[in-house]
Amino acid sequence: MSANLPTLRQLQFLIVLAEHGNFSRAAEAAHVTQPTLSAGIKELELSLGTTLVERGARGASLTPAGEAAAARARTILTEAEDLVHAARAAGEPLAGQFRLGVIPTIAPFLLPRVLPALRDEFGQLELFLREDLTPRLVDALKERRLDAALIALPYEAAGIETRAIAMDEFLFACSPDHPLADASPLDPAMLADESLLLLEDGHCLRDHALSVCSASHSAAGPGSGRADAARSDFAATSLHTLVQMVRSGLGATLLPRLAVDGGVAEGLGLVIKPFNPPVAGREIGMAWRRGSARADEAAKLSEAVRAALAPR
């Protein structure tokens, strides 16, 4: 094997320099001195036989060869990390660091229920959590910055595998003086004349709620109700904001049972009721990158979450 192969540390220096564009900030991020980082980059350039970095008074920028090398370096480092994770998982699954993403409409209501159980079952697990919208979590999975993510299904994305964990029923929420507050039984077709308050664009809960509204319009038949299922003049950034808007009499909404059981509307005096069967809602699921060395661990984690959510 050639003695001139780059080291993983040199590749890490190149990546952090590409991210920061400055030797001083890059050295700080890499927890080394600036001369150490600069020497590592120079050694990498010598081993590859080309200039990777253009140094200037305003900072450092990668040459075309440097950009290509940085892209390959990211792949090499993530493959090296996968090697480490696969070796550890073979000895003891879900031991050490595991990077888990969670969407905002799940995180505050599910995590308090499942984290104690996960700590009990996997004592060596170091769970690093990131809360974000589904598209950004999926991007992080593909870029190997996350090992798995708890998202709402259905959600289709190339290169991503999912496993359903539990059904999360949608409940109708309104103020006591709303026309549907006393409706019993409550059928989804009754939403045909409603423009619901929903989360802003980008939240998958909005898309899943709109699919229920779309089905209600179809069930009500042509010519019944309006086609604008969501109000365009109001949109909330979180479920906590959404229930406050409902409390203020601005309209009605759909809430996931997970959030209701988690107390999102507690003490607000809202009318919250289920729909007639069949149950309309979303599925909570685990997602991971296809071919990931941690796929088996992600699947095992999803089963642990399922067990923690099961009725006692």
Side-chain angles (χ1 to χ4, degrees):
M1 185 175 293
S2 172
N4 292 325
L5 286 176
T7 67
L8 294 180
R9 191 61 168 155
Q10 290 168 354
L11 298 180
Q12 289 174 330
F13 286 168
L14 180 63
I15 291 171
V16 75
L17 183 59
E19 291 173 348
H20 292 274
N22 177 280
F23 275 93
S24 178
R25 291 195 297 270
E28 184 178 351
H31 305 292
V32 298
T33 64
Q34 185 172 333
T36 297
L37 186 133
S38 183
I41 294 295
K42 178 58 70 176
E43 291 169 1
L44 180 60
E45 290 178 321
L46 290 174
S47 67
L48 297 181
T50 187
T51 301
L52 303 176
V53 179
E54 291 182 351
R55 299 156 175 83
R58 295 187 175 181
S61 60
L62 300 190
T63 64
E67 294 284 359
R72 288 179 176 269
R74 290 186 180 94
T75 301
I76 291 169
L77 287 176
T78 52
E79 291 289 353
E81 289 174 358
D82 281 352
L83 171 63
V84 173
H85 292 317
R88 289 176 177 171
E92 184 180 359
L94 290 172
Q97 296 182 4
F98 193 93
R99 301 163 299 180
L100 181 67
V102 195
I103 60 174
T105 58
I106 288 179
F109 313 110
L110 180 142
L111 293 179
R113 294 175 60 177
V114 304
L115 287 182
L118 294 180
R119 282 194 292 266
D120 290 342
E121 185 172 356
F122 306 107
Q124 300 303 310
L125 176 64
E126 297 177 46
L127 206 56
F128 288 81
L129 300 172
R130 172 183 169 184
E131 183 180 303
D132 210 334
L133 299 180
T134 305
R136 289 199 281 266
L137 293 181
V138 168
D139 285 344
L141 289 174
K142 292 180 178 180
E143 295 168 5
R144 308 187 188 201
R145 290 182 285 109
L146 287 178
D147 299 310
L150 282 164
I151 64 173
L153 304 177
Y155 190 89
E156 297 294 331
I160 298 297
E161 294 186 3
T162 60
R163 173 172 294 190
I165 294 175
M167 186 67 184
D168 193 15
E169 174 187 9
F170 282 155
L171 304 176
F172 181 75
C174 65
S175 59
D177 57 354
H178 190 276
L180 293 179
D182 296 323
S184 182
L186 182 63
D187 191 274
M190 295 179 179
L191 300 181
D193 290 323
E194 289 294 321
S195 289
L196 297 176
L197 296 168
L198 298 176
L199 295 178
E200 64 183 2
D201 286 336
H203 288 271
C204 57
L205 179 61
R206 175 186 178 89
D207 298 329
H208 293 143
L210 285 173
S211 68
V212 173
C213 297
S214 177
S216 73
H217 283 281
S218 299
S224 60
R226 297 184 298 271
D228 52 334
R231 291 189 60 166
S232 59
D233 51 346
F234 291 100
T237 57
S238 71
L239 288 176
H240 289 91
T241 302
L242 192 63
V243 294
Q244 291 294 338
M245 293 165 68
V246 174
R247 183 190 190 190
S248 299
L250 296 176
T253 192
L254 300 181
L255 295 175
R257 180 175 287 279
L258 178 71
V260 173
D261 291 346
V264 70
E266 188 173 351
L268 298 183
L270 301 184
V271 174
I272 300 176
K273 55 202 319 181
F275 291 100
N276 279 349
V279 172
R282 62 180 184 173
E283 280 191 300
I284 298 170
M286 189 76 74
W288 60 87
R289 180 179 54 82
R290 184 174 295 128
S292 169
R294 313 207 74 175
D296 288 344
E297 290 179 285
K300 189 177 184 67
L301 188 63
S302 69
E303 293 306 314
V305 173
R306 186 200 309 276
L309 290 176
R312 300 296 182 185

